[in-house]
């Protein structure tokens, strides 16, 4: 039987001794030895890195094994699989977008009135066009986009679950991407700073997806996850209309 995979941050690692500790997002602290770190070139860990691992019993107590440093780790502020947390954060971002950004882009957008009774409804409503709209915020580049032939500086992700949801419920929606790269490098990958807002009709995304014009990235560690999206499409922002 496969062991459960956990997510946590490196709490402390002594590279001279080759061991340290990882603290999971739910607060459990476990021992880690360099021999249990997997991945080519990883002989040490850096405090604050986000890692994925399994836990076994050892003479020291609980021990982390098959430890893998996750891509985009510096920007992960919380367990990426905690959907409720990210939903709450999304609500805060929607309010900030309406308050700070909408006056700058010349749109009459409001928080969707239906959210008062149903939290899961689409984020926004366009008063000028009388259609639904949604907000996507992204603060970390998809650094490995190069393997799909894309430039990570301009690559954004769109969940397959969202594609199905909009297609069935809001096919005429407008999607807004609010992008601000807070992390500019990961390993050997680097991007320039990028900040702005882009607009695209969902139908444009749908056509690109159904014509197989965009790659689909599978999240390996979510194969058995029935809550979070298991895959995302990768889009180049330069195909959208820039508003800010």
């Amino acid at each position: 039987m496969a062991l459960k995979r956990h997510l946590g941050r490196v709490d402390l690692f002594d590279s001279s001794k080759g061991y340290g500790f990882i603290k999971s997002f739910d607060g459990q602290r476990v021992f880690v030895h360099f021999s249990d770190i997997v991945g080519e070139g990883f002989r040490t860990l850096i405090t604050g890195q986000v890692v994925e691992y399994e836990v076994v019993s050892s003479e020291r107590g609980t021990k982390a094994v098959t430890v893998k440093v996750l891509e985009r780790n510096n920007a992960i502020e919380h367990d990426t699989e905690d959907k409720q947390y990210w939903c709450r954060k999304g609500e805060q971002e929607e309010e900030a977008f309406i308050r700070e950004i909408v006056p700058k882009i010349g749109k009459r957008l409001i928080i969707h009135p239906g959210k008062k009774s149903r939290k899961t409804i689409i984020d926004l409503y366009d008063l000028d066009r009388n259609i639904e709209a949604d907000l996507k915020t992204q603060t970390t580049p998809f650094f490995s986009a190069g393997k799909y032939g894309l430039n990570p500086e301009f690559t954004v992700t769109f969940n397959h679950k969202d594609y199905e949801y909009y297609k069935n419920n809001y096919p005429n929606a407008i999607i807004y991407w609010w992008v601000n790269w807070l992390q500019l490098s990961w390993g050997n990958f680097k991007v320039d700073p990028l900040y702005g807002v882009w607009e695209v009709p969902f139908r444009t995304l749908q056509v690109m997806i159904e014509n197989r014009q965009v790659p689909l990235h599978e999240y390996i560690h979510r194969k058995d996850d029935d809550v979070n999206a298991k895959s995302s499409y990768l889009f180049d922002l330069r195909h959208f209309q820039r508003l800010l």
Side-chain angles (χ1 to χ4, degrees), residues 167 170-173 175 200-209:
K167 182 175 70 171
Y170 305 106
N172 297 315
I175 311 299
V200 61
F202 168 71
R203 288 199 183 276
T204 298
L205 304 182
Q206 182 180 358
V207 168
M208 295 177 72
I209 289 171

Side-chain angles (χ1 to χ4, degrees), residues 7-9 23-26 48-50 70-82 85-90 92-93 137-140 182-183:
L7 288 174
R9 286 188 184 275
K23 190 173 184 179
S24 70
F25 286 119
D26 61 9
Q49 281 181 316
V50 173
L70 294 185
E71 295 181 6
R72 306 162 68 195
N73 56 72
N74 290 336
I76 298 177
E77 63 184 75
H78 190 77
D79 185 346
T80 56
E81 314 311 302
D82 186 348
Y85 171 88
W86 293 108
C87 286
R88 290 193 299 271
K89 183 176 175 61
Q92 296 172 353
E93 291 170 345
T137 59
Q138 195 164 330
T139 58
T140 308
L182 300 180
Q183 181 182 356

Side-chain angles (χ1 to χ4, degrees), residues 122-123 133-136 158-159 161-173 175 202 205-206:
I122 197 167
D123 295 340
D134 212 357
L135 174 66
K136 304 293 181 186
F158 187 76
N159 290 337
K161 271 190 172 184
D162 283 347
Y163 158 70
E164 296 285 353
Y165 178 65
Y166 296 127
K167 182 175 70 171
N168 294 327
N169 298 281
Y170 305 106
N172 297 315
I175 311 299
F202 168 71
L205 304 182
Q206 182 180 358

